[in-house]
Amino acid sequence: MSSLPEMTHAAATDRVSREALFEGLLRIGDSALILGHRVSEWCGHAPALEEDIALANVALDLIGQTQLWLELAGTVEGKGRSADDLAYLRDAWDFRNLLICERPNGDFGHTLMRQFLFDAYHHELLKGLSASSDPRVAEIAAKAGKEVAYHLERSSDLVVRLGDGTEESHRRMQEALEALWPYTGEMFLRDDKDAELADAGIAPDPASLRPAWERTVREVMTDATLQVPDSTFAHKGGKQGIHSEYLGYILAEMQFLQRAYPGASW
Amino acid sequence: MVAATRPSEEQIWAWLSELPDPEIPVISLTELGIIRSVEWQDDTLVVKVTPTYSGCPATSVINLDIETALRRRGVRKLRLERQLTPPWTTDWISAEGREKLRAYGIAPPVDGTAADGVAAGRIARMTGARVTVACPRCGSTDTERISQFGSTPCKASYRCQDCLEPFDYFKCI
Ligand SMILES: [Zn+2]
């Protein structure tokens, strides 16, 4: 069932190039998709049943949001590609997710730290997008934002509990923070496409999200007795399609069925 | 001819109110507040449905149930539309729906806390207040949250400290 209003379609593409809007939507949708897939790898493996269920539900929210973002991306692109086509039939270099989303899960603490760093960003991003000049973008962001409020609440709580927990859990959380920190800078980098979308009021300028993100991160890390690294080095490239080797493995698993049996459905 | 056999919108609402939510069958789709509008556009019936959560796996089942029920009642031309705005909120669960949830063993969402997309617990923490979720079995307010996410994304897991029973809480969104 799809029902995107045709009249707003023309209006939105007047303000911005079709290419920039398509790319911008892939960046949001692909990050949700790849992180959602990563988190779903925990299904059946989490340290406690409640955590297993919670992780599966977070993954489900992210995949559901992906469906909405990529469906809109396909509409904007105008080549008849569905959300499924975009998810299952693109190669690694066509993906636009942030590199942090494809990082391996590591231990439970590492997964939670990655989730928290992303949730804090995702929450701010969706807040900005819900004021988008493109109503199609705004309505998806408003919907997703309510779900992500719960993701952020949960990951903040757990980062505090594990950081301010035992000596062992504290050590692991500090290690996770240091390992993932260089992957946070990419969230706030802006290129020409980001600038075009920001100028048209379609998406917030990535750099503008940083102060609020940092406030949340520092507040939670203080409660968690964890030390925020000083380094400002940032790995980048995911938004432009330059990925780590990990994405290939994710896609190999995620896309296997559609690649082996094209058009399969059930 | 068509107009004469066309069921009224009130009639359509009545039929839809008989359809149970696939995951929580004690509550109907209309009590859940996900049917946003029912309208005849010429000879086509347009039903607008809003998803509870973006990834709710019940969405396609719900659409199929609506379509099956209306076709069985003789509605020939039917279009289901997804409506995202305004996003679904637990505030739309009717009073009857909340009572049915409680009787079924699911604590209904705490009233009036779903606004702004900010989770109830977060508001509570910021204001220093405590969100009290009453045990649907014994009514005790001495309950604790086990997990933010329960058997489905829309529920959290709680445990009653008095009767010791675990229960689902339909969380505010
Ligand atoms: Zn009880």
Side-chain angles (χ1 to χ4, degrees), chain A residues 1 3 50 53-54 57-58 60-61 64-65 68 71 139-140 142-143 145-147 149-154 157, chain B residues 51-55 63 80-82 84-85 88-89 117 119 121 125 145-146 148-150 152-153 171-173:
Chain A
M1 163 169 78
S3 61
E50 288 77 14
I53 293 170
N57 277 315
V58 170
L60 189 62
D61 280 345
Q65 293 165 16
L68 300 173
E71 178 186 299
E139 69 174 7
I140 299 173
K143 179 85 195 157
K146 293 177 133 210
E147 296 160 4
Y150 273 106
H151 299 180
L152 178 59
E153 190 189 344
R154 171 174 179 276
D157 283 353
Chain B
T52 51
Y53 282 72
S54 320
N63 289 339
L80 294 181
E81 288 187 4
R82 182 186 69 211
L84 287 181
T85 305
W88 182 78
T89 155
R125 214 172 29 213
R145 192 176 77 197
I146 302 169
Q148 188 63 273
F149 292 86
T152 61
K171 65 197 191 205
C172 296
I173 192 168

Side-chain angles (χ1 to χ4, degrees), chain A residues 131-188:
Chain A
S132 175
S133 59
D134 185 330
R136 300 168 303 174
V137 171
E139 69 174 7
I140 299 173
K143 179 85 195 157
K146 293 177 133 210
E147 296 160 4
V148 169
Y150 273 106
H151 299 180
L152 178 59
E153 190 189 344
R154 171 174 179 276
S155 60
S156 310
D157 283 353
L158 284 168
V159 164
V160 171
R161 274 163 67 185
L162 293 170
D164 189 18
T166 65
E167 210 173 294
E168 167 86 7
S169 72
H170 175 85
R171 179 182 60 76
R172 290 199 193 197
M173 293 309 275
Q174 185 63 44
E175 281 173 12
L177 177 58
E178 283 164 25
L180 291 164
W181 191 253
Y183 292 92
T184 57
E186 189 186 15
M187 298 167 177
F188 312 106

Side-chain angles (χ1 to χ4, degrees), chain B residues 135-140 142-143 159-165 167:
Chain B
C135 170
R137 210 167 296 270
C138 74
S140 167
D142 187 6
T143 59
R159 179 168 40 220
C160 177
Q161 307 280 46
D162 280 328
C163 74
L164 304 179
E165 286 291 330
F167 64 90

Side-chain angles (χ1 to χ4, degrees), chain A residues 211-229:
Chain A
W213 177 84
E214 269 206 42
R215 220 165 26 244
T216 307
V217 169
R218 291 195 183 274
E219 190 188 297
V220 169
M221 292 310 154
T222 301
D223 286 353
T225 69
L226 296 171
Q227 198 71 41
V228 174

